[in-house]
Amino acid sequence: MRSIQVLRYLPEESPQPFLQSFQVPVTDSTSVLDALNYIKESLDPTLSFRWSCRMAICGSCGVMVNGIPKLGCKDFLRNYPNDLIIEPLAHLPVERDLVVNMDSFLRHLEAVKPYLIEGKNAADSSQPNRQTPAQMARYQQFANCINCGLCYAACPQFGLNPEFTGPAAIALAHRYNLDSRDSGKAQRMAPLNSKNGVWSCTFVGFCSEVCPKGVDPAAAVNQGKVESAKSMLIQLFSGRAIGGAGQ
Amino acid sequence: MQVHTFDVVVVGGGGAGLRAAIAAAETGGNAVGLVSKVYPMRSHTVAAEGGAAAVTRGDDSLQSHFDDTVAGGDWLAEQGVVDYFVRHAHAELVQMERWGCPWSRQASGDVQVRRFGGMKTERTWFAADKTGFHMLHTLYQTSLKYPQIQRFDEYFVLDLLVEDNQACGVIALEISSGELHLLRAKSVIMATGGAGRLFRFNTNGGIVTGDGMAIAYRRGVALRDMEFVQYHPTGLPGSGILITEASRGEGGVLTNKDGYRYLQDYGLGPETPLGEPQNKYMELGPRDKLSQAFWHEQQAGRTGKHGDSDVVYLDLRHLGEAYLQERLPFICELAKAYVNVDPAKSPIPIRPAVHYTMGGIETNADCETSIRGLFAAGECASVGLHGANRLGSNSLTELLVFGHLAGKKAMQRALGDSPCKDGAESIRQLGSQWQERLESMMRGGEPGRPRWPELKAELLKVMEEGCGIYRDEAGLTQALQSIRGLRERYERVQLGDQSQIYNTDLLHCLELGCSLDVAEATCLAALQRRESRGAHQRLDDSCQQRNDQQYLKHSQVFYQGAAPARLEWQDVDTHLSAPGERHYGSKGSGLKGSGAEGSDGGQHA
Amino acid sequence: MSYKPQLTGSWWLKHRFFKAYMLREATVIPLAFLLCSLLAGAFSLQDPERFQHWQAFMSNPLVILVHTLALTTSLYHAATFFVLFPRVMPIRVGNYQLPARYLVLAQWGAVWLVVALFIWLFAFGGQS
């Protein structure tokens, strides 16, 4: 048995969050999620948190573990011989206990048109496109995002400005921009060029550190800056207004 | 209670639900509601690993995919449905490609296919070993293009509104507030996934609790073929986390504790050379046979130990680090994180784990149930594709083919049918009935009322002991009795959390109620099917063989409220391929004709 | 009903990763001082008296300290930048992506070339 602390928030009882200690059994393979499930089933049924796949692919169980964003199912108690404090993901409004409000995250994802936009000359739609492994390799890494939101909890710029499009959404936009089958880059650049787009990033880089899937969103955002600079220059020379903020 | 009105409401935001919602939106109308108890990208489709099957290569044929599927399902599949499926599979995968799904490619840029258990030819499309993940995200992202689709994320559907045997909507609990909502619609599609969480060792996410099955079942729709529960032969010990069948398709081999490739002793041999996997031989046999072989090895004491689990070993070392990173990166990540094994250096300990529910909500070939306007698609449905054992990589394709069909048919029905009656009275009744039910669960402080964790622990134990890979009369009778006892105790269940906002105690409790009803149907059908077929294996003397005389039939279980459920038998459509024997390994080769080369096999995930 | 903790001014003290980031950003301060010093030197070139003042200023131990600091922190900044560069501008030759470590090495190579050039110019007066 060992002690862990969880930041509780029960809005129907008190407006103040508070820390609560629990004694949980541990083995070498006990994950943070296992510990939370033990608490819920055996100690305190009122503890609320999200989880499902417990294999680091559904993206539900992001929490702060000792101040660092982690997937609860892929972080193990054995990594924390001393204190262990579990808190809700940072920078997002907390609804209850470890449950954060994901609305703004989803809004940012949706704003970048994260789907394939085919050009007018797209081939016969009853046949698959061709795409070589090399063409795939350009975007594949950015297609591995599981939308867990850890990068938003790691990003101080998002913490200061919730309107910042943020790492995961920009990585997703970049994934489609790099896809050889896509023709929608011009449409996606408007939100990326805006003041809450790529230029809000100061390359802290912590988003890529905490990403459980090796997506490297910081690279996507900063590659996005290069693209944004290019697209703004092109707009400048073609005589159109720069920006497109808020479109 | 807030009331919203749609043409079609889809329950479930996984692969089938999203595909159905998109199909409904493309068919017409202007309002599709998509309700899910989790954000769509959390749905369990995300965990499917291996791939999706469709006839692709020049040397393959629709007949061959049909034969593999029917024989793999031990002739309990609806053959007209299988025929429809194999003919529409390829177009659906192409559609996914056009929506951006990153299918793995050949050097030429054409889509790559891999071998899969029980498949005669390579026909499984894949996106590395995260096929379900990529499909789900592609579908979710594509669904954002359709303004007609209005999502209700984190709403838990409690019940259907049915009037004069016609579906008229659903009642749902908004998890963030505890408020009830009524979503009216002229047709409703259930796409709520399976029920793997009835069992302790399973490859499924915590949300896979059979909710949608129970909801339709309680309204009178039959649950069909529920006794057929697929064990995946390769789950990680302890957690049950899935190690994809594709790892065997790529050449991985299974050994017992002595390093011996034991599958050759179970009608799957002769041993194929290392690095030369052969379709339908050895490790590429069907899932039911492989899981059963594990059981025999375990009985004979030839399994190893990992923690307190009996295990055999999946050896991938000969594939080499680079190839593993290209084809099976997720497997490497999972093995490292959860059993601390690097597959390039050591064999992975594995054991069978419950993976897939072949049975489900009975539908006709158009995905419509016995309630007019109520459709079902995906794992929650029994459209009749899988029979007694699902063929590997058929279920991801199933989501698309039948999700599409259900969405289209549901919208056509909604646009064509006259609207439901005003229904104000029945809506009020349904609302107050659920309000009361929830309040009685919340009411605390009465001694002796059970809580859900203890009931759930018992359910898992009962199902594991009585309804596992091998079953018998006594065990099943006992299990059925225990489940009925649990259902009775559940009537008095009480929550430990009385709050409204994100009350996950309430959610898990509601899920358990669904699981218990589905478990009764599963045990009843398993008890009554006194034969061995596909994934349903009986140890009793007279039940060890397939018995077509009596049991070439679907089981249908009907809900009877608090009283014991009732079972009926239904004929199987075998008009295209007469029942034959399933053969794998050397016995399977050389045999011709429909079914003789059956296999079954793995699936996605 | 939800609450949202606000980021305080000390957010960057909470993790060494953020401290390293702030250090990287702060390297601009000694660098700005160095640049001002050099600009002042350029202006003082026209007047011998001012140039003497500037030389005295430049040989003040404190100033030398700050300039040494500017050199070290610039090297630190360069080190962080060089690691980031291959991620921001991945270089592909046909189907082959240049591994990041080659790009990092190439950048350091360029730094040493410049250093060598200056040593040659100043220590040997441009003669071999």
Side-chain angles (χ1 to χ4, degrees), chain B residues 497-526:
Chain B
D497 182 353
Q498 274 80 42
S499 58
Q500 297 293 318
I501 296 175
Y502 280 99
N503 187 337
T504 48
D505 197 43
L506 169 61
L507 282 193
H508 295 328
C509 191
L510 292 167
E511 288 172 338
L512 179 71
C514 295
S515 297
L516 285 171
D517 289 351
V518 174
E520 187 191 2
T522 303
C523 288
L524 177 63

Side-chain angles (χ1 to χ4, degrees), chain B residues 289-470:
Chain B
K289 301 255 183 248
L290 263 62
S291 296
Q292 289 151 19
F294 168 86
W295 186 88
H296 290 290
E297 287 294 295
Q298 187 183 30
Q299 298 297 307
R302 291 192 292 264
T303 47
K305 275 275 178 205
H306 184 92
D308 50 9
S309 286
D310 293 328
V311 295
V312 288
Y313 299 93
L314 173 65
D315 196 343
L316 298 168
R317 288 175 297 179
H318 53 283
L319 297 178
E321 173 98 45
Y323 191 77
L324 288 175
Q325 280 307 327
E326 184 208 328
R327 291 297 178 92
L328 302 167
F330 191 38
I331 293 315
C332 296
E333 180 189 327
L334 292 172
K336 193 86 199 76
Y338 295 102
V339 287
N340 198 23
V341 164
D342 177 354
K345 299 202 175 85
S346 323
I348 311 172
I350 51 101
R351 57 156 289 158
V354 166
H355 184 54
Y356 190 87
T357 323
M358 262 75 73
I361 303 166
E362 183 190 332
T363 74
N364 63 19
D366 285 342
C367 300
E368 193 166 11
T369 68
S370 55
I371 295 177
R372 187 179 172 81
L374 179 66
F375 295 77
E379 191 176 344
C380 75
S382 168
V383 68
L385 175 63
H386 304 305
N389 178 55
R390 184 171 57 80
L391 185 66
S393 70
N394 265 354
S395 69
L396 281 182
T397 312
E398 177 193 16
L399 301 177
L400 302 171
V401 172
F402 293 104
H404 183 175
L405 182 66
K408 190 172 87 178
K409 293 285 176 186
M411 184 55 89
Q412 285 170 352
R413 165 83 69 230
L415 296 177
D417 260 14
S418 52
C420 289
K421 290 186 295 193
D422 158 43
E425 178 53 25
S426 42
I427 291 174
R428 198 195 54 72
Q429 259 183 21
L430 189 69
S432 62
Q433 178 197 328
W434 273 100
Q435 200 71 51
E436 225 166 83
R437 173 88 185 111
L438 297 180
E439 276 165 16
S440 93
M441 284 162 84
M442 295 247 190
R443 227 173 283 132
E446 293 169 42
R449 285 175 61 182
R451 289 202 38 239
W452 65 266
E454 59 189 88
L455 299 181
K456 186 181 111 183
E458 279 188 54
L459 168 68
L460 300 185
K461 190 161 166 280
V462 167
M463 294 304 281
E464 187 180 353
E465 286 172 0
C467 207
I469 298 180
Y470 281 95

Side-chain angles (χ1 to χ4, degrees), chain A residues 9 68 94 202-203 216 223, chain C residues 1-3 15 21 24 87:
Chain A
Y9 173 58
I68 312 288
V94 182
T202 55
F203 214 154
D216 199 355
Q223 290 176 24
Chain C
M1 291 288 264
S2 59
Y3 78 94
H15 193 269
Y21 160 75
R24 185 188 89 198
R87 287 163 58 196

Side-chain angles (χ1 to χ4, degrees), chain A residues 11-12 29 40-41 45-60 73-74 76 78 95-96 99-100 102-103 105-106 109-110 114-116 118 122-133 136 139-140 143-148 172 175-176 179 181 212-213, chain B residues 39 41-42 44 46-47 49 94 97-111 125 130 133-134 137-138 140-142 144-145 151 153-154 197 202-207 239-242 330 333-334 337-338 451-453 456 496-497 499-505 508:
Chain A
E12 290 156 88
S29 62
K40 177 146 195 86
E41 296 197 6
T46 67
L47 179 67
S48 284
F49 51 94
R50 295 188 178 105
W51 72 284
S52 177
C53 78
R54 50 79 175 106
M55 55 192 277
I57 192 76
C58 80
S60 304
C73 67
K74 210 188 171 193
F76 299 89
R78 61 173 188 259
E95 298 286 345
R96 172 176 173 169
V99 178
V100 293
M102 297 293 282
D103 290 353
F105 174 82
L106 290 182
L109 276 191
E110 290 169 16
Y115 36 79
L116 206 68
E118 289 196 326
D124 168 15
S125 68
S126 68
Q127 291 304 314
N129 296 290
R130 282 183 177 227
Q131 185 170 57
T132 64
M136 239 182 112
Y139 71 85
Q140 197 162 26
N144 281 331
C145 170
I146 61 173
N147 299 351
C148 62
L172 194 55
R175 169 250 180 276
Y176 281 103
D179 194 318
R181 301 167 289 182
K213 291 291 159 188
Chain B
Y39 290 103
M41 61 287 210
R42 316 296 185 216
H44 196 63
V46 81
E49 293 168 358
V94 171
E97 199 285 332
R98 304 299 296 214
W99 282 336
C101 189
W103 297 117
S104 293
R105 305 283 179 155
Q106 307 170 32
S108 64
D110 290 324
V111 170
W125 295 38
K130 293 187 198 168
F133 162 80
H134 284 299
H137 280 249
T138 301
Y140 161 66
Q141 289 159 11
T142 301
L144 301 174
K145 281 199 294 194
R151 288 211 321 272
D153 295 339
E154 298 196 323
R197 283 272 159 176
N202 66 78
T203 64
N204 289 184
I207 56 176
S239 60
I241 286 171
L242 177 68
F330 191 38
E333 180 189 327
L334 292 172
Y338 295 102
R451 289 202 38 239
W452 65 266
K456 186 181 111 183
D497 182 353
S499 58
Q500 297 293 318
I501 296 175
Y502 280 99
N503 187 337
T504 48
D505 197 43
H508 295 328

Side-chain angles (χ1 to χ4, degrees), chain A residues 7 9 11 17 68 91 93-94 134 138 154 156 162 202-206 208-209 216 218-219 222-223, chain C residues 1-8 11 15 17-18 21 24-25 84 86-90 92 94-95 97:
Chain A
L7 188 66
Y9 173 58
I68 312 288
H91 307 155
V94 182
R138 296 175 73 85
T202 55
F203 214 154
V204 177
F206 200 40
S208 295
E209 285 293 303
D216 199 355
N222 286 282
Q223 290 176 24
Chain C
M1 291 288 264
S2 59
Y3 78 94
K4 190 179 165 199
Q6 294 302 312
L7 268 195
T8 59
W11 62 267
H15 193 269
F17 196 95
F18 292 146
Y21 160 75
R24 185 188 89 198
E25 300 296 292
L84 298 179
R87 287 163 58 196
V88 179
M89 303 276 268
R92 274 167 201 284
N95 287 344
Q97 178 162 351

